[in-house]
Amino acid sequence: MTLPKKRRRLLFLLLLLMALPVLWRVGRLLSYSPVRTNSFLWGAYHVHTTFSDGRADLKGLAQAARRDGLSFVLLTDHGSPNRESSTVNRVISGVTVLGGSEASLPEGRLAVLFPPSLPPYRLPPHPPEAVEEIRQWGGMAVITYPEDPSHLWRYHGEDLTGDGLEILNLATSFRRLSPLGKAAAVVEALLSPYAFLSRVTPPTEPLAFWDRLLERGKCWGFYGIDAHGQVPLLGSLNLPLPSYGSLFKLYSLGVDKRYSDSPERAIRNGDFFSLIRGAGEPRSFTFQLRQGHRILRSGESAEKPEGELEFTVQGIPSRSWQIRIFRNGRLWLQGNSETLRAPVPGPGIYRGEITLQNHPFLKRSVPWILTNPIWIATPPPPARAERPIRTLSSLSLDELRVERDEGSSAGYIFSGGQGLWNFNLRAPSRERPNRWVALSYRIPLDLSGAEGIWVEGSSQRPLRIWVELRGEGKELRGSLKIMPGLCRRLFLPFDRLFLPDGRRAAPPRVTQSLFLSINNLNVAEALSGELLLKGVGLGKREGR
């Protein structure tokens, strides 16, 4: 049965009307080309290579970066941290490749940037301790995925600080889409890499999180591309999309050309800005404080609450923008001219955002440019004083026993009221992936009234050990770092103990066993050494 001719025409018109929005968007995607300038050094942060699950090696990555006009790339290969990628500092094909790693903790992931070298042990599980450990290595600790549905950062204690925070992450925006939205994003990406700009999630919560962190110390904002050059399909089969180049076009870090010899120095100093590069590059951009003849830029601190704050941008023809300056996390000043300038009203932490008001794809609520702050007459945050430990009980060190896997070796000698533990931890292999040595205390231990475990000892080299409690069906684990030299008493609070699945949990009232252990989870390689123990026991903090 055929439709009458009139109905066929109406149906055709209806289908044409339905297709017009799609055709209009396809036309905009195919015709869109962002403004490109040569005003800054552009770089990409959060990039994976063949050191973990990325597609390109360093040479291939650098060549892709150079083709898209990048001057530097910050690696974040997976590990705890990744020992190969973390210490890279090379210029390849004219691109500076800087080392880093994405390290997994039970409550989220940290990007470890620029450590000159790494110790033989891994990061501790408690986030504030991990941040401090990275700083001791000479690196920067960047908190990643603050609102990611798969890798959500879950620790928000008041003792948390960081050297940086991912404000935007391309993979997070993709994972937050509906199944239909993901399918549409993949199809549109085949037409234009810039199509995804319309699906970037406004970073409302990450910006609020950042403002809280800024109250505790200096912390830089990053836009991360989370580039792998591929996505896994089945088994070892990978789809080579999205390419590195397509993501390099979208987000970038902007650095002044005076840092051409060392972009790392700009990142460490906070003298950079984050940019949605796919929306266009500014021809010029400044965010600075003028105090007489002195000029302070992002990342710097002024001692006196005086001067004039200046925010200037030029570029992006036919695009209107809104400049906003925030003081202590609250909007202080805004305007839509090329320059926003005003005397500072007093002490505070000042940062800037620029949003585009009529871009064809980017939402108005997503900052096109995000500056790092300038601190004006703000006192340093008060140091957190550790309360002294009160001993509640001590274990009999002569009751400790050696346990180990079949390939590793260990010995324990108790003499003169102290114990000497020597060990030789074998490297893991495919046949024997789990290597471990331990001192066990298999006597029930009543934890009533205690707040944690204390250990007093020293070692030949810096060494991180697990303290494990087992009882009432629970297995809990926390970490302590033993140092060479004089014996120090270290305290592990019970609220820093984790279950194997990464959740925190209260300890059992009575433990069936306690272990001091070294294994593949806290040591990155085969390790031999000695640990002198002067005491182990239960304790609590004074002042409660």
Side-chain angles (χ1 to χ4, degrees):
M1 181 178 177
T2 59
L3 290 173
K5 188 175 182 180
K6 187 175 181 179
R7 288 189 179 182
R8 290 201 302 269
R9 288 179 178 176
L10 289 174
L11 181 59
F12 174 77
L13 289 174
L14 179 61
L15 293 174
L16 182 61
L17 288 173
M18 293 174 62
L20 281 177
V22 176
L23 295 174
W24 177 77
R25 182 168 174 83
V26 169
R28 297 188 85 184
L29 288 174
L30 294 176
S31 63
Y32 176 76
S33 179
V35 173
R36 291 284 183 252
T37 70
N38 191 34
S39 303
F40 296 89
L41 302 177
W42 302 115
Y45 155 76
H46 202 140
V47 179
H48 300 262
T49 70
T50 50
F51 285 137
S52 60
D53 58 348
R55 185 173 185 85
D57 59 13
L58 295 185
K59 182 178 180 180
L61 177 71
Q63 290 173 344
R66 185 178 181 181
R67 284 194 297 270
D68 275 287
L70 298 188
S71 298
F72 63 94
V73 174
L74 277 59
L75 303 182
T76 54
D77 280 296
H78 297 285
S80 294
N82 187 300
R83 305 189 71 78
E84 292 180 294
S85 68
S86 293
T87 56
V88 171
N89 190 334
R90 297 171 56 187
V91 177
I92 306 172
S93 300
V95 175
T96 302
V97 182
L98 296 168
S101 176
E102 181 182 326
S104 297
L105 305 179
E107 295 170 310
R109 299 185 180 189
L110 285 174
V112 184
L113 301 183
F114 319 135
S117 61
L118 294 175
Y121 52 83
R122 302 181 188 274
L123 286 171
H126 184 55
E129 291 181 352
V131 169
E132 184 57 33
E133 188 77 52
I134 293 167
R135 291 169 176 166
Q136 291 174 10
W137 298 348
M140 290 179 62
V142 179
I143 298 168
T144 67
Y145 302 116
E147 57 175 0
D148 192 276
S150 299
H151 310 307
L152 180 66
W153 181 267
R154 301 196 308 275
Y155 186 83
H156 292 273
E158 293 184 0
D159 56 344
L160 177 66
T161 61
D163 302 309
L165 175 70
E166 272 188 3
I167 306 299
L168 285 176
N169 181 292
L170 279 170
T172 294
S173 290
F174 181 80
R175 282 191 281 263
R176 295 189 68 181
L177 296 174
S178 67
L180 184 60
K182 290 176 181 176
V186 171
V187 172
E188 288 188 344
L190 300 176
L191 298 174
S192 169
Y194 306 111
F196 194 75
L197 294 179
S198 62
R199 293 181 167 84
V200 173
T201 306
T204 306
E205 288 303 318
L207 287 171
F209 184 16
W210 190 28
D211 287 326
R212 294 193 297 272
L213 289 173
L214 290 173
E215 295 175 358
R216 304 167 196 166
K218 292 193 172 183
C219 177
W220 317 138
F222 289 80
Y223 286 180
I225 62 173
D226 208 351
H228 296 74
Q230 61 186 10
V231 292
L233 291 180
L234 295 172
S236 59
L237 183 62
N238 295 299
L239 181 68
L241 294 172
S243 67
Y244 289 103
S246 65
L247 301 185
F248 289 158
K249 292 177 173 64
L250 297 182
Y251 291 177
S252 189
L253 306 182
V255 169
D256 191 275
K257 288 188 175 181
R258 69 181 183 277
Y259 290 106
S260 59
D261 62 330
S262 179
E264 176 185 338
R265 185 161 53 92
I267 305 301
R268 285 187 179 272
N269 293 343
D271 193 7
F272 68 95
F273 61 94
S274 292
L275 172 78
I276 297 189
R277 192 173 178 230
E281 299 171 2
R283 189 165 60 252
S284 66
F285 165 78
T286 57
F287 180 64
Q288 59 190 23
L289 174 69
R290 291 183 179 271
Q291 291 186 333
H293 296 293
R294 186 185 181 200
I295 295 179
L296 292 95
R297 298 180 175 86
S298 294
E300 295 188 299
S301 301
E303 296 179 359
K304 297 180 180 180
E306 61 187 30
E308 187 176 64
L309 204 60
E310 180 180 290
F311 201 169
T312 302
V313 63
Q314 291 180 338
I316 314 298
S318 303
R319 305 269 185 252
S320 65
W321 51 63
Q322 185 174 68
I323 298 177
R324 299 188 293 178
I325 300 178
F326 292 79
R327 178 189 180 201
N328 299 328
R330 296 187 176 184
L331 182 63
W332 166 58
L333 193 65
Q334 63 180 335
N336 55 12
S337 62
E338 289 188 344
T339 299
L340 196 60
R341 186 184 294 118
V344 296
I349 303 169
Y350 294 80
R351 63 173 182 84
E353 298 177 10
I354 302 177
T355 56
L356 300 178
Q357 300 303 294
N358 60 357
H359 192 273
F361 305 123
L362 188 65
K363 299 182 182 76
R364 296 182 182 185
S365 52
V366 178
W368 169 49
I369 288 178
L370 182 72
T371 78
N372 281 309
I374 297 174
W375 278 256
I376 301 178
T378 53
R384 299 180 63 89
E386 291 287 345
R387 300 195 307 274
I389 305 164
R390 177 156 60 94
T391 300
L392 299 181
S393 63
S394 298
L395 278 61
S396 299
L397 296 184
D398 60 343
E399 298 287 352
L400 294 175
R401 299 291 182 266
V402 168
E403 299 186 24
R404 58 181 177 79
D405 70 79
E406 292 181 1
S408 300
S409 61
Y412 179 71
I413 300 173
F414 177 76
S415 177
Q418 60 188 23
L420 182 64
W421 180 27
N422 60 78
F423 58 87
N424 182 5
L425 183 72
R426 294 285 298 275
S429 63
R430 181 175 298 180
E431 294 74 23
R432 294 186 178 276
N434 299 315
R435 296 294 192 181
W436 58 276
V437 292
L439 288 179
S440 64
Y441 185 83
R442 292 187 177 272
I443 298 174
L445 190 61
D446 190 343
L447 306 184
S448 301
E451 294 179 355
I453 302 285
W454 61 266
V455 175
E456 185 175 352
S458 66
S459 60
Q460 292 176 317
R461 65 173 84 182
L463 183 66
R464 190 162 287 283
I465 66 170
W466 290 115
V467 179
E468 300 179 62
L469 299 178
R470 298 181 186 179
E472 299 177 5
K474 294 181 179 179
E475 295 184 15
L476 294 164
R477 178 188 294 132
S479 179
L480 290 173
K481 186 168 74 171
I482 310 295
M483 298 295 290
L486 296 175
C487 287
R488 296 173 58 238
R489 180 168 292 194
L490 305 171
F491 187 65
L492 177 62
F494 289 148
D495 61 8
R496 296 184 186 178
L497 297 176
F498 295 86
L499 294 167
D501 63 6
R503 292 180 296 121
R504 295 181 189 243
R509 188 181 65 81
V510 177
T511 68
Q512 300 304 313
S513 53
L514 179 149
F515 297 87
L516 305 180
S517 66
I518 301 170
N519 59 29
N520 305 146
L521 296 179
N522 61 356
V523 172
E525 56 192 29
L527 186 68
S528 298
E530 290 183 349
L531 191 153
L532 177 65
L533 278 177
K534 286 197 170 182
V536 180
L538 302 177
K540 66 184 302 182
R541 295 285 192 191
E542 296 282 11
R544 281 194 175 183

